[in-house]
Amino acid sequence: MLPEPEPTVCRALAADLRDAGFTAEALRDSWGAAADDAIARGLRSPAARALGGRTDALAVLGRLLVLGMPQAAASVDEAVVRAGVEGLARLGLVTVAGDEVRPLALVRPQSYADASGSGQWWIASDLDEAALGGPLPEDHVLGVGGASLTLAGLQLPTAAARGLDVGAGCGIQALRARAHVRQVVATDISPRALGFTRLNALLNGVEAIETRLGSLFEPVAGEQFDRIVSNPPFVITPRVADVPAYEYRDGGMVGDDVVAAFVGGVGAHLTPGGVAQLLGNWETREGAAGLDRVRGWIEGSPVPLDAWVVERESLDPLSYAELWVRDGGTLPGTPGFARLVDAWLDDFADRGVTEVGFGYLLLRRPAEGAPTLARYERLHTALAGDGIGTHLAAALEAHDRLVRMDDAGLAASVLVVAPDVTEARHHLPGAEDPTVIELRQGGGFGRALGVDPGLAALVGACDGDLPVGVLVDAIAELLGVDAGALRADLMPRVRELLFTGFLRFA
């Protein structure tokens, strides 16, 4: 159990970290980009070698709190003159053995940026595999990883009154939510995780985060929220003996049931117009595609929900098993690796699983009436930028506007091309006309879309001057085609371009 964090000690430590220049950028500059990237892969020796014998505060704190390496007590006292070694110990971050300070937790700086600006947090979490020198304990509290960064970036950057972070872990989602949500409740089944959430809130000077112990929606029974965010313990884990059940990733259910349970219960806890965002895995079972199963969960929700689900990647059972066995610190060639992989493969075989998808779910309780958004898509490409939350918010706004607008209203609208959109034309050698015209998106999901000459001409003409209907009529005359037929063909595709962010209302 982590000690209850003392506000005065947290403020003192924050001041020490600021004075030391303890930022992600400063540390990366100190030990180099290659060593910094190696830390994420569990290799700390390149960074330690780069620091050499440096005894300045940044180097001492980098070794102690980022790499998880013991340091001389005198050096640590000089690095944290306000909090002191005693303060670090009272926060549960270190223990003292003679003249040596040994880390009990990590504190790593984490930069962030969204539409409202940029900044940096210090995020405390448990020691990783490199610092422990072996597999993680089952009650391990994870720091900021790739999935948590992704979800933080997905959060809508629009104002809301009350938010909920389900499965808070170290508290990164609650911190991110507080940038736009006035009050956040953070829940977890782990008292230690909630201790880290409280510590990180105090360390970063973020107020109005309340922590509650319990599973899924049990701690908030009967309550509703404008925003709900969750990086749930969605990793599919065999329910057999001798397979570690890590609290940070294993929800204790069979297969993808934890994500199904979240989807089934979230609607009752959303206010009208409220939005839930989460990450998840879903199984393709005996020919039933994973996204179709997710659609079934959503359509079966007791509270009708708008839905936008994006599958970002999929893995075969063997690749999935190897990924998560390694994630727990059991590496290929070490005792138990093959046994654990076999346990995963047996579990998948029992349910007829042929593929596991990973992606994002955005669910919204309609402010009024029936759901109007049901979008399920596979986008197996890298995200194009940091502003994905802004992109999602703009897409929802465009959708809501388009739902209320018939084709006559759309024809009367004036549109502009989004500034991140480019066009590529591919010609056969010597050919005058292109064989392929492609629109590419520099932000959002980085979509690439093949278009025909009519749609390409319309997009190119959307400069905020003339209405869509006038442009379509002019293009029809230029191409020598029927204007009514061209309008019927283009209007649904213009709606799609508005939703996906290629076009915007002027």
Side-chain angles (χ1 to χ4, degrees):
M1 184 73 175
L2 204 66
E4 190 61 32
E6 301 175 39
T8 55
V9 180
C10 289
R11 287 192 293 269
L13 177 56
D16 288 329
L17 296 178
R18 279 192 294 271
D19 287 351
F22 192 66
T23 68
E25 292 75 21
L27 287 166
R28 189 175 178 89
D29 288 343
S30 291
W31 48 49
D36 199 60
D37 294 339
I39 294 171
R41 302 193 302 272
L43 298 174
R44 58 181 185 167
S45 59
R49 290 166 64 90
L51 292 178
R54 283 176 49 180
T55 58
D56 56 285
L58 181 63
V60 171
L61 294 175
R63 293 190 199 95
L64 180 71
L65 299 179
V66 176
L67 303 181
M69 302 174 67
Q71 296 292 289
S75 298
V76 178
D77 259 329
E78 290 178 6
V80 286
V81 293
R82 294 175 180 84
V85 170
E86 180 189 354
L88 295 180
R90 281 160 56 188
L91 293 176
L93 299 176
V94 303
T95 186
V96 181
D99 294 332
E100 187 176 68
V101 178
R102 298 175 183 173
L104 297 176
L106 302 175
V107 180
R108 289 176 169 170
Q110 179 63 57
S111 299
Y112 66 89
D114 64 16
S116 62
S118 61
Q120 186 156 258
W121 292 307
W122 297 298
I123 304 297
S125 63
D126 273 326
L127 298 174
D128 59 15
E129 299 100 313
L132 291 171
L136 302 173
E138 292 191 8
D139 64 350
H140 176 80
V141 177
L142 190 68
V144 179
S148 54
L149 282 178
T150 295
L151 182 58
L154 287 168
Q155 289 194 39
L156 301 183
T158 50
R162 196 159 185 254
L164 171 66
D165 178 8
V166 178
C170 68
I172 181 68
Q173 305 306 328
L175 289 174
R176 184 60 176 254
R178 273 289 289 116
H180 307 286
V181 182
R182 288 202 301 272
Q183 180 188 29
V184 174
V185 175
T187 70
D188 205 289
I189 63 169
S190 165
R192 184 169 177 80
L194 294 179
F196 274 115
T197 294
R198 293 191 293 273
L199 170 59
N200 288 324
L202 288 170
L203 192 57
N204 291 283
V206 178
E207 300 178 342
I209 295 178
E210 176 191 351
T211 60
R212 300 185 194 175
L213 184 67
S215 177
L216 287 174
F217 301 107
E218 292 172 0
V220 293
E223 298 181 56
Q224 292 186 328
F225 300 86
D226 306 298
R227 294 284 166 73
I228 298 177
V229 64
S230 182
N231 183 6
F234 60 76
V235 175
I236 297 165
T237 306
R239 303 260 68 86
V240 296
D242 299 326
V243 173
Y246 297 111
E247 288 181 350
Y248 74 89
R249 72 183 202 188
D250 175 22
M253 299 184 187
V254 173
D256 49 22
D257 285 356
V258 70
V259 181
F262 184 100
V263 171
V266 71
H269 295 281
L270 287 169
T271 58
V275 172
Q277 295 176 271
L278 70 149
L279 306 180
N281 276 157
W282 39 81
E283 299 176 335
T284 292
R285 297 181 183 175
E286 298 177 341
L291 275 180
D292 289 340
R293 296 183 62 247
V294 175
R295 184 194 298 267
W297 301 338
I298 293 168
E299 291 177 349
S301 169
V303 176
L305 297 169
D306 285 321
W308 185 5
V309 182
V310 176
E311 183 181 274
R312 296 298 296 167
E313 65 179 59
S314 59
L315 294 175
D316 61 83
L318 177 57
S319 298
Y320 188 89
E322 290 184 279
L323 170 67
W324 292 110
V325 173
R326 287 196 304 269
D327 177 80
T330 303
L331 302 179
T334 59
F337 182 83
R339 177 185 60 79
L340 289 173
V341 168
D342 283 339
W344 253 273
L345 296 180
D346 289 344
D347 182 58
F348 285 137
D350 287 344
R351 291 190 304 282
V353 175
T354 57
E355 187 176 83
V356 181
F358 165 79
Y360 327 136
L361 297 88
L362 187 155
L363 308 172
R364 182 176 63 172
R365 183 171 183 169
E368 57 184 19
T372 57
L373 177 62
R375 188 178 182 97
Y376 301 83
E377 53 185 329
R378 292 178 175 86
L379 294 171
H380 291 192
T381 57
L383 294 178
D386 294 330
I388 190 67
T390 302
H391 174 74
L392 297 179
L396 291 178
E397 183 179 356
H399 169 80
D400 294 342
R401 186 169 178 176
L402 288 166
V403 164
R404 300 188 298 269
M405 182 180 290
D406 60 15
D407 280 354
L410 182 56
S413 300
V414 178
L415 308 180
V416 295
V417 182
D420 64 321
V421 171
T422 58
E423 180 186 272
R425 293 182 176 237
H426 304 273
H427 297 74
L428 291 173
E432 181 178 352
D433 297 323
T435 55
V436 176
I437 307 174
E438 188 178 58
L439 299 178
R440 296 175 179 170
Q441 190 176 52
F445 286 110
R447 299 174 190 265
L449 180 68
V451 297
D452 55 37
L455 185 57
L458 177 60
V459 171
C462 286
D463 57 5
D465 187 17
L466 298 174
V468 172
V470 173
L471 295 176
V472 172
D473 290 344
I475 293 168
E477 184 175 351
L478 181 67
L479 296 178
V481 299
D482 179 73
L486 184 61
R487 184 174 298 201
D489 173 61
L490 291 182
M491 286 304 179
R493 294 195 280 165
V494 169
R495 290 177 181 271
E496 174 69 5
L497 291 179
L498 282 163
F499 179 85
T500 53
F502 286 87
L503 293 174
R504 299 176 181 175
F505 289 101

